[in-house]
């Protein structure tokens, strides 16, 4: 990565800002507990859960260090203020459902931070073998599908066919079926789990962008005319129902 682009990312990325935030530990502990078994939550419930969290942890946190204390501010007001601040900074994504309720989700930036922090945990088994096989397999695939030579492609396919036929022959002769041991299973599972989380994070980023576009269209429509049942609104309702 270009050094200028790296510096720009460090200065502008909401994910980096989250990690630099004084109350990052408090925020991450809260959202991982709230969104552990649900992807989205209503605004009123989120406010209530954060207010309860502030009530329960008042004596166990260093207020000045976390930076969430305002003199004379109630926990109810503080919860609302913090959720708004976190949303404005890009840590939460929100949208309005068909019933007019405000729904909150973790933004793609927060999801990436959680996944990255989780990846720092020391693994019992280091998946060098599975990573090497994955790398080798992708290199072979790259060589195969970047070569336009028909004869070379046929040669590679025949080699694959011979390998499969040899495996079938050995099994038919009674050779034991190869089964992975625990030390081989766990790193492969961890790799797949990481890829799945990255894929979900990518989907969430696309979803965030889509919701932002919808929000901007609604805002533009409201600013321009404020009429109901316009062609733009009909299109939006169709997209949301889809």
């Amino acid at each position: 990565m270009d050094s200028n682009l790296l510096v720009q990312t460090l200065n502008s990325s909401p994910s980096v800002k989250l990690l630099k935030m004084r109350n990052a530990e408090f925020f991450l502990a809260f959202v991982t507990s709230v969104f552990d078994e649900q992807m989205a939550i209503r605004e009123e419930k989120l406010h209530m859960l954060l207010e309860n969290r502030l009530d329960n942890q008042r004596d166990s946190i260093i207020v000045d260090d976390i930076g969430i204390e305002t003199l004379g501010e109630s926990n109810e007001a503080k919860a609302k203020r913090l959720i708004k601040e976190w949303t404005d900074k890009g840590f939460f994504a929100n949208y309005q459902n068909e019933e007019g309720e405000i729904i909150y989700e973790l933004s793609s930036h927060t999801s990436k931070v959680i996944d990255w922090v989780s990846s720092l945990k020391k693994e019992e088994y280091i998946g060098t073998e599975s990573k090497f096989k994955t790398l080798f397999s992708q290199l072979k695939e790259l060589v195969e599908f970047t070569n336009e030579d028909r004869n070379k492609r046929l040669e590679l396919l025949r080699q694959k066919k011979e390998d499969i036929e040899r495996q079938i022959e050995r099994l038919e002769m009674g050779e034991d079926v190869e089964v992975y041991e625990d030390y081989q299973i766990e790193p492969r599972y961890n790799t797949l789990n990481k890829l799945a989380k990255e894929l979900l994070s990518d989907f969430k980023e696309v979803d965030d962008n889509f919701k932002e576009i919808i929000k901007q269209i609604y805002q533009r429509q409201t600013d321009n005319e404020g009429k109901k049942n316009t062609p733009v609104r009909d299109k939006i309702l169709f997209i949301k129902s889809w």
Side-chain angles (χ1 to χ4, degrees), residues 150-160 162:
R150 183 184 298 272
N151 292 328
K152 185 64 177 178
R153 179 70 62 85
L154 285 170
E155 181 184 340
L156 290 170
L157 289 173
R158 290 192 185 101
Q159 186 176 344
K160 284 184 180 180
E162 290 175 4

Side-chain angles (χ1 to χ4, degrees), residues 50-64:
L50 181 54
E51 182 182 350
N52 292 340
R53 186 85 170 206
L54 292 168
D55 286 337
N56 295 334
Q57 296 201 3
R58 175 177 290 279
D59 297 331
S60 60
I61 60 176
I62 303 173
V63 172
D64 290 338

Side-chain angles (χ1 to χ4, degrees), residues 41-44 93-97 99-104:
I41 185 169
R42 290 182 296 107
E43 182 179 40
E44 296 80 5
N94 63 3
Y95 60 94
Q96 193 173 38
N97 65 13
E99 289 73 39
E101 297 176 309
I102 303 299
I103 306 299
Y104 279 83

Side-chain angles (χ1 to χ4, degrees), residues 162-172 175:
E162 290 175 4
D163 291 340
I164 293 172
E165 288 176 344
R166 279 196 294 270
Q167 291 180 49
I168 293 173
E169 184 179 348
R170 288 198 299 268
L171 289 174
E172 288 178 341
E175 183 176 304

